[in-house]
Amino acid sequence: MNIKEHSIEELQALAEEIREKILQTVSRNGGHLSSTMGAVDLIVAMHRVFDVTKDPFIFDVSHQAYAHKLLTDRWDRFDTLRAFGGISGYTKPMESPYDYYIAGHSSTSISLAVGAAKAIALKGEARIPVAFIGDGSMSAGMVYEALNELGDRKYPVVIILNDNEMSIAKPIGAISKLLSQTMAGSFYQKFKHRVEKALERLPEGATYMAKRFEESLKLITPGIMFEEMGIEYIGPVDGHDIKALIETFQVAKKLKKPVIVHAQTTKGKGYEIAEGSKEHWHGVGAFDLKTGKASKKSSKKSATQIYSETLLEMADQDAKIVGVTAAMPSGTGLNAAMQKYPERFWDVAIAEQHAVTSMGPLAKEGFKPFCTLYSTFLQRGYDQVIHDICLMDLGVVFAIDRAGIVGEDGETHQGVFDISYLRAIPNMTLLAPYNESSMKAAMAFAKAYHRPCALRYPRGAFLAPDSSCEPYELGKSFMLQEGEEILFIGYGNGVGRAMLTATKIEQRVGILDLRFVKPLDEKMLLHLSTLYKQWYVFSDSAAKGGVGSAILEFLSQKRIRDVLLTTFEYEDAFITHGSTQLVEESLGLLPEQLAQRINRDIDTKSE
């Protein structure tokens, strides 16, 4: 959509039309709402001033980029947002040439912009990277690593800081507001440039006094930190004033140096129910537009809720229990403990590396830390897991939420790699529950265990119904059902999948709750190898380095050659977005599909 010749009034009308389109779609499909609604005016102005056909538009996290999608050839397909086979909820170059980079994790945009600026400089082209980043993403260290180099190298990059909670800095009084508005204008920028040139020719004493005067002005504006890093700062500006935004972006574009435009916006802009700092509206399922109420609610208790309730009970009983999350207190269920014990449970913002490392000394000092992160976000703290926890052999518990397919968020958020990347680390113990009782038992084991361990559990409810559960013992599995010839080995939520599959097979099969993938219950596996010759592995995880790999390594080491093992873990490919059931169906992982595959194996063997 070419909006270069649109009047301000036409752009304002377009912004309202975009908001209505987003509201209608997200209310049906679910998705990110409050932040992307607040970003509409910024993105309209961004498309007006910069050239999306050549300038790299780089969105941080990119859940704010719905307006960008609507302005770039996806208006007619937008109703397929996050649906299986439809368009992604994040930027995705395979979906559109106007999406420069894939993004689903935060705080990458400025690093990407620096890399793009280097390539543009080497190619001698007249293009300018535009990074769009939210204030929440500014809490991650990677941002400042990128800013540090950018301020030194002085590549032309425009950074649009979408401050939708005024969490970077608030204007202080009327004079600051006046100064900020003035700094956004071309007159101030030209004047500043001339002053800087003049200062180069002044005697040392006069230069010192002039610089002190300039610094005194910056102290009452929120841009001092960026200016000191060598990044030009403009703002704060009204992120919903399209005319002012266009003028400001034009100034920033002409500077031909690194510049941050600090824009203040309102989350949920245009939908009063969601306006303001309401965490519930960040990401939503389908909802009723008139009331804002969710269209459907699951009657089953989620694994996250079980974890949250159990952790709070443990914290009530033991003052040594502490915990941390990284910007996901409600998503991980840690919010209940944070509200009751704010001195013992912390949200460190988008800083997984810091979250992991900071728990090490607490364990060393005799506390029991529960580091509660999504599987996909724990990846960001991998070096810290190795270097700061496992190398020290400290008793930190990694509670890994959203393990397995997470549905509509797609490739960047699927929690499929944690077994593979954690199993390789010395001193790490890996376990998994499969229902409510086993979750409580697994957490009780983790609390008492004095070495690093990680327990994983799915988004939503466990597949298996609740039942009584024996206590967890290190490296011990549990036989749930005896059978003949065929053994189903379930790990975590895979136990429930094994149970459901078993009901669709005429032959009675053995079902093993593996419980621990590291260390394996070698004694049990040796015994079962004499009774069952066809083993099937059920685990919501990547096959490479996963549960099946661990068992195959064991069979190879023990020279067991007469056991045939098939794993139903995920193949070596990134998994697309869509409802979990449709995604699993596409992968052939629904219980009825798995039963058909096993029945074919049985028929083949009997021939």
Side-chain angles (χ1 to χ4, degrees):
M1 185 182 298
N2 187 356
I3 61 173
K4 298 296 184 185
E5 303 303 322
H6 280 38
S7 67
I8 298 300
E9 291 74 20
E10 288 172 330
L11 293 176
Q12 290 168 341
L14 175 61
E16 292 308 310
E17 192 177 354
I18 288 172
R19 283 195 177 91
E20 182 61 25
K21 183 79 168 177
I22 291 172
L23 270 176
Q24 293 292 339
T25 302
V26 175
S27 67
R28 290 193 304 268
N29 298 17
H32 292 92
L33 186 71
S34 59
S35 55
T36 201
M37 289 282 284
V40 170
D41 299 308
L42 278 172
I43 292 173
V44 168
M46 179 178 168
H47 273 264
R48 171 62 178 271
V49 174
F50 301 97
D51 187 348
V52 71
T53 64
K54 66 174 186 176
D55 295 328
F57 281 24
I58 304 170
F59 290 90
D60 209 276
V61 185
S62 75
H63 63 290
Q64 299 174 329
Y66 291 2
H68 165 75
K69 286 176 178 280
L70 288 166
L71 288 169
T72 51
D73 72 13
R74 282 161 282 187
W75 189 282
D76 293 337
R77 290 186 293 151
F78 196 70
D79 60 345
T80 69
L81 180 75
R82 291 163 52 90
F84 183 71
I87 65 174
S88 171
Y90 301 93
T91 51
K92 191 173 182 178
M94 289 180 289
E95 177 182 293
S96 169
Y98 303 113
D99 289 0
Y100 185 77
Y101 224 85
I102 196 166
H105 291 181
S106 84
S107 312
T108 63
S109 61
I110 301 177
S111 292
L112 293 171
V114 172
K118 289 176 178 177
I120 290 167
L122 289 169
K123 293 164 78 173
E125 295 176 344
R127 300 157 58 207
I128 185 164
V130 185
F132 189 102
I133 185 169
D135 59 314
S137 293
M138 297 294 289
S139 61
M142 187 174 177
V143 165
Y144 300 96
E145 294 172 14
L147 287 172
N148 184 55
E149 183 182 17
L150 182 59
D152 179 55
R153 300 282 184 175
K154 305 296 183 186
Y155 294 113
V157 170
V158 173
I159 301 164
I160 300 172
L161 171 56
N162 178 23
D163 178 3
N164 53 28
E165 288 190 5
M166 295 188 294
S167 59
I168 299 299
K170 296 181 181 180
I172 305 170
I175 188 171
S176 179
K177 183 176 181 180
L178 175 63
L179 281 169
S180 296
Q181 291 171 343
T182 304
M183 289 170 69
S186 58
F187 173 79
Y188 172 81
Q189 295 297 329
K190 290 177 182 177
F191 174 74
K192 181 179 178 182
H193 178 71
R194 289 171 182 167
V195 169
E196 287 173 347
K197 288 292 184 183
L199 288 177
E200 294 174 2
R201 297 191 293 271
L202 288 176
E204 187 175 339
T207 302
Y208 172 78
M209 292 301 295
K211 285 189 176 293
R212 286 296 301 271
F213 174 72
E214 182 187 16
E215 287 168 6
S216 70
L217 286 178
K218 288 197 290 184
L219 281 172
I220 52 174
T221 66
I224 185 170
M225 177 180 68
F226 302 113
E227 296 270 7
E228 291 301 320
M229 295 183 77
I231 312 292
E232 200 73 36
Y233 173 88
I234 300 176
V237 296
D238 183 349
H240 301 299
D241 185 338
I242 293 178
K243 182 176 184 292
L245 289 171
I246 289 172
E247 292 171 354
T248 302
F249 291 166
Q250 287 171 339
V251 170
K253 184 178 181 180
K254 291 175 183 176
L255 288 176
K256 299 189 185 304
K257 63 171 74 170
V259 55
I260 251 185
V261 176
H262 179 183
Q264 291 177 332
T265 60
T266 300
K267 283 185 175 181
K269 177 71 172 178
Y271 185 52
E272 188 175 351
I273 297 174
E275 285 188 359
S277 301
K278 301 171 184 175
E279 188 179 355
H280 163 70
W281 287 102
H282 172 73
V284 296
F287 64 94
D288 181 84
L289 266 176
K290 291 183 179 179
T291 65
K293 293 182 178 179
S295 298
K296 58 180 180 179
K297 290 185 178 180
S298 174
S299 58
K300 295 180 69 176
K301 188 182 291 187
S302 71
T304 302
Q305 186 179 350
I306 298 166
Y307 171 79
S308 178
E309 293 172 355
T310 306
L311 183 64
L312 187 56
E313 290 172 5
M314 292 167 58
D316 287 339
Q317 297 165 8
D318 187 349
K320 294 290 187 181
I321 301 289
V322 297
V324 71
T325 190
M328 288 291 173
S330 61
T332 60
L334 203 71
N335 53 345
M338 288 172 57
Q339 289 168 10
K340 190 169 185 179
Y341 301 110
E343 74 283 2
R344 288 164 51 194
F345 293 88
W346 306 277
D347 176 6
V348 298
I350 302 175
E352 291 84 359
Q353 293 171 306
H354 167 59
V356 172
T357 296
S358 68
M359 291 299 100
L362 280 155
K364 183 178 173 65
E365 294 286 345
F367 291 89
K368 188 64 189 182
F370 281 74
C371 187
T372 312
L373 301 169
Y374 290 1
S375 172
T376 184
F377 297 150
L378 181 57
Q379 295 164 188
R380 295 160 63 93
Y382 188 56
D383 179 62
Q384 287 67 33
V385 175
I386 296 173
H387 185 271
D388 302 326
I389 306 301
C390 289
L391 190 61
M392 292 283 290
D393 202 12
L394 296 169
V396 175
V397 180
F398 294 95
I400 305 175
D401 201 332
R402 306 298 200 271
I405 292 174
V406 300
E408 288 81 0
D409 280 338
E411 296 96 328
T412 59
H413 280 60
Q414 310 286 21
V416 303
F417 303 115
D418 52 273
I419 294 173
S420 304
Y421 67 68
L422 292 174
R423 194 167 70 83
I425 307 175
N427 297 334
M428 177 61 81
T429 293
L430 303 181
L431 64 154
Y434 72 92
N435 63 9
E436 182 169 356
S437 295
S438 64
M439 170 72 98
K440 293 177 179 179
M443 291 178 68
F445 169 86
K447 174 184 178 294
Y449 193 54
H450 297 298
R451 305 185 70 189
C453 70
L455 60 97
R456 74 190 316 255
Y457 45 95
R459 180 183 188 181
F462 286 110
L463 290 173
D466 198 27
S467 58
S468 60
C469 177
E470 295 293 320
Y472 274 50
E473 296 180 45
L474 180 63
K476 296 297 182 183
S477 59
F478 190 80
M479 200 69 186
L480 297 172
Q481 175 179 300
E482 300 292 343
E484 298 177 359
E485 187 61 26
I486 294 176
L487 176 67
F488 285 2
I489 301 174
Y491 183 66
N493 206 36
V495 173
R497 198 177 304 278
M499 289 177 170
L500 291 170
T501 305
T503 64
K504 303 178 184 305
I505 295 174
E506 292 184 8
Q507 186 171 334
R508 183 172 174 81
V509 301
I511 302 178
L512 178 71
D513 172 16
L514 190 62
R515 293 194 170 192
F516 292 84
V517 71
K518 185 182 182 184
L520 287 172
D521 188 347
E522 295 191 359
K523 183 177 180 180
M524 175 67 84
L525 292 175
L526 277 171
H527 171 66
L528 293 175
S529 71
T530 66
L531 303 176
Y532 303 90
K533 299 303 179 181
Q534 287 182 268
W535 292 7
Y536 294 90
V537 174
F538 297 76
S539 176
D540 297 343
S541 52
K544 297 284 187 183
V547 178
S549 289
I551 296 173
L552 281 171
E553 290 164 14
F554 160 78
L555 293 173
S556 176
Q557 290 165 1
K558 299 300 180 182
R559 303 292 191 269
I560 298 171
R561 297 183 175 86
D562 58 347
V563 169
L564 297 176
L565 184 142
T566 301
T567 182
F568 294 134
E569 294 169 281
Y570 309 132
E571 296 300 324
D572 188 24
F574 290 106
I575 300 172
T576 190
H577 66 273
S579 75
T580 298
Q581 182 170 354
L582 289 176
V583 171
E584 289 180 345
E585 183 180 7
S586 74
L587 298 173
L589 294 177
L590 296 180
E592 52 269 27
Q593 294 174 307
L594 298 176
Q596 289 175 3
R597 292 168 63 180
I598 294 166
N599 284 327
R600 283 197 298 268
D601 289 348
I602 294 172
D603 293 341
T604 301
K605 187 177 180 183
S606 62
E607 290 176 356

